[in-house]
Amino acid sequence: MSRTRLDVRKTHKLYIGGAFVRSESGRALAATSADGTHLDNFCHASRKDLRDAVVAARNAFEGWAKKTAYLKGQILYRAAEMLESRAAAIAEEIGRTGISSEAARAEVDLAIDRLVYFAGWTDKFTQVFGAVNPVATSHFNFTVPEPTGVVVVLPPDEPSFVPAVALLASVILTGNAAIIVASETAPLPLLAFAEILATSDLPGGVANILSGKRAELLPHIAGHKDINAVVDAAGCATVQEGAAVNLKRCTRRILSPEDWRSARGENPYWIGDTVEYKTAWHPIGI
């Protein structure tokens, strides 16, 4: 006797605190291709999920910030290794959104290069962005960049993968903990990337990935007082308006798809968007 077998659709979970969890609301959305084909499902994050991600990021921040620059660089490089080993699978996920297999593989290769590039900045940004300042007294005066804390990243919808990986790397390489809200139109590649982060050496909570309706999360992102900064590459005006109330740092990075794939998409000065500067005075011994 023959029977018809139904496909079991995967529901991509949220990635919070190093664990894959469903939304506390139980909601899920359908991911579709450019022609409307139902691909898979993904969780629809709620305000409670955002709050859980902030708690996870805050708990991870201190330990991550204290790790040596060398170790942070090695961990980011390990993430690039893991992405390299699963490049075909991620390229297939990107290709399902409606682009050619060649373009999808080029997207993954570029994301790997971005990870390696920013991994190399972990032991250099302090020297580049810091300074020894001239003063008129018998003191040494140092200015040193330090991580700001918990940072939310809002990547663009197109391209959905390379900017997300590049912005995430530029945020966490200094010691910040990040929450990245995946593209609404093509969330699956970044949600699949969470499986790579989970199998790398990155401590749980340093990178958290949410998905769902951004319009629902944006007011809570802007108003949450334990989020220190937002990197907005999607042009979300709600964040700008809300951040002005609680003086949350908000940086906009609006680039064209071509620019994201060019050298402009790995600007090292992005590192300065999410650091704070501490100046210390030290007396010169006689």
Side-chain angles (χ1 to χ4, degrees):
M1 181 177 67
S2 63
R3 63 175 183 170
T4 301
R5 184 182 179 279
L6 298 176
D7 291 337
V8 178
R9 300 287 184 185
K10 179 176 181 178
T11 298
H12 293 254
K13 312 300 189 298
L14 310 175
Y15 184 60
I16 300 175
F20 294 93
V21 297
R22 293 183 181 272
S23 171
E24 60 83 29
S25 67
R27 297 176 299 176
L29 298 170
T32 58
S33 63
D35 61 5
T37 302
H38 182 196
L39 302 175
D40 278 325
N41 305 307
F42 62 98
C43 287
H44 181 178
S46 68
R47 178 185 183 183
K48 175 64 165 56
D49 297 317
L50 171 66
R51 290 166 59 189
D52 290 345
V54 173
V55 170
R58 180 60 63 189
N59 289 339
F61 167 63
E62 184 175 354
W64 176 242
K66 287 181 178 179
K67 291 189 183 300
T68 65
Y70 175 80
L71 182 55
K72 288 197 284 282
Q74 288 294 299
I75 289 173
L76 282 173
Y77 190 83
R78 174 62 175 165
E81 291 178 339
M82 297 303 295
L83 181 54
E84 182 82 64
S85 69
R86 296 193 57 188
I90 300 297
E92 181 180 355
E93 199 67 73
I94 295 173
R96 291 206 297 165
T97 63
I99 67 176
S100 69
S101 57
E102 293 79 8
R105 182 54 197 250
E107 200 88 358
V108 177
D109 289 345
L110 187 54
I112 295 168
D113 292 346
R114 294 284 194 262
L115 279 174
V116 173
Y117 173 80
F118 282 112
W121 273 96
T122 56
D123 60 354
K124 301 175 181 66
F125 78 93
T126 299
Q127 291 84 357
V128 173
F129 296 107
V132 179
N133 308 307
V135 293
T137 61
S138 57
H139 294 82
F140 291 115
N141 183 270
F142 305 96
T143 297
V144 181
E146 294 187 340
T148 191
V150 176
V151 180
V152 170
V153 177
L154 303 170
D157 286 331
E158 170 55 31
S160 66
F161 191 64
V162 166
V165 173
L167 290 172
L168 176 65
S170 68
V171 164
I172 65 175
L173 74 87
T174 62
N176 292 309
I179 301 164
I180 185 165
V181 183
S183 160
E184 282 190 43
T185 58
L188 301 189
L190 186 60
L191 293 173
F193 180 66
E195 299 177 5
I196 291 171
L197 294 178
T199 53
S200 71
D201 297 327
L202 194 69
V206 173
N208 305 274
I209 301 178
L210 303 180
S211 57
K213 297 290 186 181
R214 282 182 175 171
E216 184 176 318
L217 294 176
L218 290 178
H220 307 305
I221 291 172
H224 200 302
K225 296 185 184 301
D226 204 27
I227 294 173
N228 302 104
V230 178
V231 178
D232 176 17
C236 302
T238 305
V239 173
Q240 298 276 346
E241 296 166 1
V245 176
N246 52 37
L247 302 182
K248 192 189 313 299
R249 180 184 297 185
C250 189
T251 303
R252 299 191 76 181
R253 292 295 176 197
I254 310 299
L255 277 68
S256 68
E258 293 74 22
D259 282 340
W260 280 115
R261 296 182 176 99
S262 73
R264 290 193 65 190
E266 57 178 20
N267 189 337
Y269 288 97
W270 291 351
I271 298 169
D273 294 340
T274 54
V275 297
E276 297 177 352
Y277 291 91
K278 180 175 72 176
T279 298
W281 295 72
H282 191 281
I284 298 174
I286 297 176

Coordinates of all heavy atoms in Angstrom, one line a residue, residues 22-77:
R22 N 12.7 28.3 21.3 CA 11.5 28.8 20.6 C 11.1 30.1 21.3 O 11.4 30.4 22.4 CB 10.3 27.8 20.7 CG 10.6 26.5 19.9 CD 9.4 25.6 19.9 NE 9.6 24.4 19.2 CZ 9.3 24.2 17.9 NH1 8.8 25.2 17.2 NH2 9.5 23.1 17.3
S23 N 10.4 30.9 20.5 CA 9.8 32.1 21.1 C 8.9 31.8 22.3 O 8.2 30.8 22.2 CB 9.1 32.9 20.1 OG 8.4 34.0 20.7
E24 N 9.0 32.6 23.4 CA 8.2 32.3 24.5 C 6.7 32.4 24.2 O 5.8 31.9 24.8 CB 8.5 33.2 25.7 CG 8.4 34.7 25.4 CD 7.0 35.2 25.6 OE1 6.2 34.6 26.4 OE2 6.6 36.2 24.9
S25 N 6.4 33.2 23.1 CA 5.0 33.3 22.7 C 4.5 32.1 21.9 O 3.3 32.0 21.7 CB 4.9 34.6 21.8 OG 5.6 34.4 20.6
G26 N 5.4 31.3 21.4 CA 5.0 30.1 20.6 C 4.7 30.5 19.2 O 4.4 29.6 18.4
R27 N 5.0 31.7 18.8 CA 4.7 32.1 17.4 C 5.8 31.7 16.4 O 7.0 31.7 16.8 CB 4.4 33.6 17.3 CG 3.3 34.1 18.2 CD 3.2 35.6 18.1 NE 4.3 36.3 18.7 CZ 4.5 37.6 18.7 NH1 3.6 38.4 18.1 NH2 5.6 38.1 19.2
A28 N 5.4 31.5 15.2 CA 6.4 31.2 14.1 C 5.8 31.8 12.8 O 4.6 32.1 12.7 CB 6.5 29.7 13.9
L29 N 6.8 32.1 11.9 CA 6.4 32.7 10.6 C 7.0 31.8 9.5 O 7.9 31.0 9.7 CB 7.1 34.1 10.5 CG 6.6 35.1 11.5 CD1 7.5 36.4 11.4 CD2 5.2 35.5 11.3
A30 N 6.4 31.9 8.4 CA 6.8 31.2 7.2 C 7.9 32.0 6.4 O 7.7 33.1 6.1 CB 5.7 30.8 6.3
A31 N 9.0 31.3 6.1 CA 10.0 31.9 5.2 C 9.7 31.5 3.8 O 9.5 30.3 3.5 CB 11.4 31.5 5.6
T32 N 9.7 32.5 2.9 CA 9.4 32.1 1.5 C 10.5 32.6 0.6 O 11.3 33.5 0.9 CB 8.1 32.8 1.1 OG1 8.2 34.2 1.3 CG2 6.9 32.3 1.9
S33 N 10.6 32.0 -0.6 CA 11.5 32.5 -1.6 C 11.0 33.7 -2.3 O 9.9 34.1 -2.1 CB 11.8 31.3 -2.6 OG 10.6 31.0 -3.3
A34 N 11.8 34.2 -3.3 CA 11.4 35.3 -4.0 C 10.1 35.1 -4.8 O 9.3 36.0 -5.0 CB 12.5 35.8 -5.0
D35 N 9.8 33.8 -5.2 CA 8.6 33.5 -6.0 C 7.5 33.1 -5.1 O 6.4 32.6 -5.6 CB 8.9 32.5 -7.1 CG 9.4 31.2 -6.5 OD1 9.4 31.0 -5.2 OD2 9.7 30.3 -7.3
G36 N 7.6 33.2 -3.8 CA 6.6 32.8 -2.9 C 6.5 31.4 -2.4 O 5.6 31.0 -1.7
T37 N 7.5 30.6 -2.8 CA 7.6 29.2 -2.3 C 7.9 29.1 -0.8 O 8.8 29.8 -0.3 CB 8.7 28.4 -3.1 OG1 8.4 28.5 -4.5 CG2 8.7 27.0 -2.7
H38 N 7.1 28.3 -0.1 CA 7.3 28.1 1.3 C 8.6 27.3 1.5 O 8.7 26.2 1.1 CB 6.1 27.4 1.9 CG 6.2 27.2 3.4 ND1 5.4 26.3 4.1 CD2 7.0 27.8 4.3 CE1 5.7 26.4 5.4 NE2 6.7 27.2 5.5
L39 N 9.6 27.9 2.2 CA 10.8 27.2 2.4 C 10.8 26.5 3.8 O 10.9 25.3 3.8 CB 12.0 28.2 2.4 CG 12.1 29.0 1.1 CD1 13.2 30.1 1.2 CD2 12.4 28.1 -0.1
D40 N 10.9 27.2 4.8 CA 10.9 26.7 6.2 C 10.1 27.7 7.1 O 9.5 28.7 6.6 CB 12.3 26.5 6.7 CG 13.0 25.2 6.2 OD1 12.2 24.2 6.1 OD2 14.2 25.3 6.0
N41 N 10.1 27.4 8.4 CA 9.5 28.3 9.3 C 10.6 28.9 10.2 O 11.7 28.3 10.4 CB 8.5 27.6 10.2 CG 7.4 26.9 9.3 OD1 6.8 27.5 8.5 ND2 7.2 25.6 9.5
F42 N 10.3 30.0 10.9 CA 11.3 30.6 11.8 C 10.5 31.2 12.9 O 9.3 31.7 12.8 CB 12.2 31.6 11.1 CG 11.6 32.8 10.5 CD1 11.5 34.0 11.2 CD2 11.0 32.7 9.3 CE1 10.9 35.1 10.6 CE2 10.4 33.8 8.7 CZ 10.4 35.0 9.4
C43 N 11.1 31.3 14.1 CA 10.4 31.8 15.3 C 10.2 33.3 15.2 O 11.1 34.1 14.7 CB 11.2 31.4 16.5 SG 11.1 29.7 17.0
H44 N 9.1 33.8 15.7 CA 8.8 35.2 15.8 C 9.0 35.7 17.2 O 8.3 35.4 18.1 CB 7.3 35.3 15.4 CG 6.8 36.7 15.4 ND1 5.5 37.0 15.0 CD2 7.4 37.9 15.6 CE1 5.3 38.3 15.1 NE2 6.5 38.9 15.5
A45 N 10.2 36.4 17.3 CA 10.6 36.8 18.7 C 9.7 37.9 19.3 O 9.1 38.7 18.5 CB 12.0 37.4 18.6
S46 N 9.5 37.8 20.6 CA 8.6 38.7 21.3 C 9.5 39.7 22.1 O 10.7 39.6 22.2 CB 7.7 38.0 22.2 OG 8.4 37.3 23.2
R47 N 8.8 40.6 22.8 CA 9.5 41.5 23.7 C 10.2 40.7 24.8 O 11.4 41.0 25.2 CB 8.5 42.4 24.4 CG 9.1 43.4 25.4 CD 8.0 44.2 26.1 NE 8.6 45.2 27.0 CZ 7.9 46.0 27.8 NH1 6.6 46.0 27.7 NH2 8.5 46.9 28.6
K48 N 9.6 39.6 25.3 CA 10.2 38.8 26.3 C 11.5 38.1 25.8 O 12.5 38.0 26.5 CB 9.2 37.7 26.8 CG 9.8 36.7 27.8 CD 10.2 37.4 29.1 CE 10.4 36.3 30.2 NZ 11.4 35.3 29.9
D49 N 11.5 37.7 24.6 CA 12.7 37.1 24.0 C 13.8 38.1 23.9 O 15.0 37.8 24.1 CB 12.4 36.5 22.6 CG 11.3 35.4 22.6 OD1 11.4 34.5 23.5 OD2 10.4 35.4 21.8
L50 N 13.5 39.4 23.5 CA 14.5 40.4 23.5 C 15.1 40.6 24.9 O 16.3 40.7 25.0 CB 13.9 41.7 23.0 CG 14.8 42.9 23.1 CD1 16.0 42.8 22.2 CD2 14.0 44.2 22.7
R51 N 14.2 40.7 25.9 CA 14.7 40.9 27.2 C 15.6 39.7 27.7 O 16.6 39.9 28.3 CB 13.5 41.0 28.2 CG 12.7 42.3 28.0 CD 11.4 42.3 28.7 NE 11.5 42.1 30.1 CZ 10.5 41.9 30.9 NH1 9.2 41.8 30.4 NH2 10.6 41.7 32.2
D52 N 15.2 38.5 27.3 CA 16.1 37.3 27.6 C 17.4 37.5 26.9 O 18.5 37.1 27.5 CB 15.4 36.0 27.2 CG 14.2 35.7 28.1 OD1 14.0 36.3 29.2 OD2 13.4 34.9 27.6
A53 N 17.4 37.9 25.7 CA 18.7 38.1 25.0 C 19.6 39.1 25.6 O 20.8 39.0 25.7 CB 18.4 38.4 23.5
V54 N 19.0 40.2 26.1 CA 19.7 41.3 26.7 C 20.4 40.7 28.0 O 21.5 41.0 28.3 CB 18.9 42.5 27.0 CG1 19.6 43.5 27.9 CG2 18.4 43.1 25.8
V55 N 19.6 40.0 28.8 CA 20.1 39.4 30.0 C 21.3 38.4 29.7 O 22.4 38.5 30.3 CB 19.0 38.6 30.8 CG1 19.6 37.8 31.9 CG2 18.0 39.6 31.3
A56 N 21.1 37.6 28.7 CA 22.2 36.7 28.3 C 23.5 37.5 27.8 O 24.6 37.1 28.2 CB 21.7 35.8 27.1
A57 N 23.3 38.5 27.0 CA 24.4 39.3 26.6 C 25.1 40.0 27.7 O 26.3 40.1 27.8 CB 23.9 40.3 25.5
R58 N 24.3 40.6 28.6 CA 24.9 41.3 29.8 C 25.7 40.3 30.6 O 26.8 40.6 31.1 CB 23.8 41.9 30.6 CG 24.3 42.7 31.8 CD 25.3 43.8 31.5 NE 24.6 44.8 30.6 CZ 25.3 45.8 30.0 NH1 26.6 45.9 30.1 NH2 24.6 46.7 29.3
N59 N 25.2 39.1 30.8 CA 25.9 38.1 31.7 C 27.2 37.7 31.0 O 28.2 37.3 31.7 CB 25.0 36.9 31.9 CG 23.9 37.2 32.9 OD1 23.9 38.2 33.6 ND2 22.8 36.4 32.8
A60 N 27.2 37.7 29.7 CA 28.4 37.2 28.9 C 29.4 38.3 28.8 O 30.6 38.0 28.5 CB 28.0 36.7 27.6
F61 N 29.0 39.6 28.9 CA 29.8 40.7 28.5 C 31.1 40.8 29.3 O 32.2 40.9 28.8 CB 29.0 42.0 28.7 CG 29.9 43.2 28.6 CD1 30.6 43.6 27.5 CD2 30.0 44.1 29.7 CE1 31.4 44.7 27.5 CE2 30.7 45.2 29.7 CZ 31.5 45.5 28.6
E62 N 31.0 40.7 30.6 CA 32.2 40.9 31.4 C 33.3 39.9 31.2 O 34.5 40.2 31.0 CB 31.8 40.9 32.9 CG 33.0 41.2 33.9 CD 32.6 41.3 35.3 OE1 31.4 41.2 35.6 OE2 33.5 41.4 36.2
G63 N 32.9 38.6 31.1 CA 33.9 37.6 30.8 C 34.5 37.7 29.5 O 35.7 37.5 29.3
W64 N 33.7 38.0 28.5 CA 34.2 38.2 27.1 C 35.1 39.4 27.0 O 36.2 39.3 26.4 CB 33.0 38.3 26.1 CG 33.4 38.6 24.7 CD1 33.1 39.7 24.0 CD2 34.1 37.7 23.8 NE1 33.5 39.6 22.7 CE2 34.2 38.4 22.6 CE3 34.7 36.4 23.9 CZ2 34.8 37.8 21.5 CZ3 35.3 35.9 22.8 CH2 35.4 36.5 21.6
A65 N 34.8 40.5 27.6 CA 35.6 41.7 27.6 C 37.0 41.5 28.2 O 37.9 42.1 27.8 CB 34.9 42.9 28.3
K66 N 37.0 40.6 29.2 CA 38.3 40.3 29.9 C 39.2 39.4 29.2 O 40.4 39.3 29.5 CB 38.0 39.8 31.3 CG 37.4 40.9 32.3 CD 37.2 40.3 33.6 CE 36.7 41.3 34.6 NZ 36.4 40.7 35.9
K67 N 38.7 38.7 28.2 CA 39.6 37.8 27.4 C 40.6 38.6 26.7 O 40.4 39.7 26.3 CB 38.8 36.9 26.5 CG 37.9 35.9 27.2 CD 37.2 34.9 26.2 CE 36.3 34.0 26.9 NZ 36.9 33.2 28.0
T68 N 41.8 38.0 26.5 CA 42.9 38.7 25.8 C 42.5 38.9 24.3 O 41.7 38.2 23.7 CB 44.2 37.9 25.8 OG1 44.0 36.6 25.1 CG2 44.6 37.5 27.3
A69 N 43.1 39.9 23.8 CA 42.9 40.3 22.3 C 43.3 39.1 21.5 O 42.6 38.7 20.5 CB 43.7 41.5 22.0
Y70 N 44.4 38.4 21.8 CA 44.8 37.2 21.0 C 43.7 36.1 21.0 O 43.4 35.6 20.0 CB 46.1 36.7 21.6 CG 46.6 35.4 21.0 CD1 47.2 35.4 19.7 CD2 46.3 34.2 21.6 CE1 47.7 34.3 19.1 CE2 46.8 33.0 21.0 CZ 47.4 33.0 19.7 OH 47.8 31.9 19.1
L71 N 43.1 35.9 22.2 CA 42.1 34.8 22.3 C 40.9 35.2 21.6 O 40.3 34.4 20.9 CB 41.8 34.5 23.8 CG 40.8 33.4 24.0 CD1 41.3 32.1 23.4 CD2 40.6 33.2 25.5
K72 N 40.4 36.4 21.7 CA 39.3 36.9 20.9 C 39.5 36.7 19.4 O 38.6 36.3 18.7 CB 38.9 38.3 21.3 CG 38.3 38.4 22.7 CD 37.6 39.8 22.8 CE 38.5 40.9 23.0 NZ 39.1 41.0 24.4
G73 N 40.7 37.1 19.0 CA 41.0 36.9 17.5 C 41.0 35.4 17.1 O 40.5 35.1 16.0
Q74 N 41.5 34.6 18.0 CA 41.5 33.1 17.7 C 40.1 32.6 17.6 O 39.8 31.7 16.8 CB 42.3 32.4 18.7 CG 43.8 32.6 18.6 CD 44.4 32.0 17.4 OE1 44.3 30.8 17.1 NE2 45.0 32.8 16.5
I75 N 39.2 33.1 18.5 CA 37.8 32.6 18.5 C 37.1 33.0 17.2 O 36.3 32.3 16.6 CB 37.1 33.0 19.8 CG1 37.7 32.3 21.0 CG2 35.6 32.9 19.7 CD1 37.2 32.8 22.3
L76 N 37.3 34.3 16.8 CA 36.7 34.8 15.6 C 37.2 34.0 14.4 O 36.4 33.7 13.5 CB 36.9 36.2 15.4 CG 36.0 37.2 16.3 CD1 36.4 38.6 16.1 CD2 34.5 37.0 15.9
Y77 N 38.5 33.7 14.4 CA 39.1 32.9 13.3 C 38.5 31.5 13.3 O 38.3 31.0 12.2 CB 40.6 32.9 13.4 CG 41.3 32.3 12.2 CD1 41.5 33.1 11.1 CD2 41.6 31.0 12.2 CE1 42.1 32.6 10.0 CE2 42.2 30.4 11.0 CZ 42.5 31.2 9.9 OH 43.0 30.7 8.8

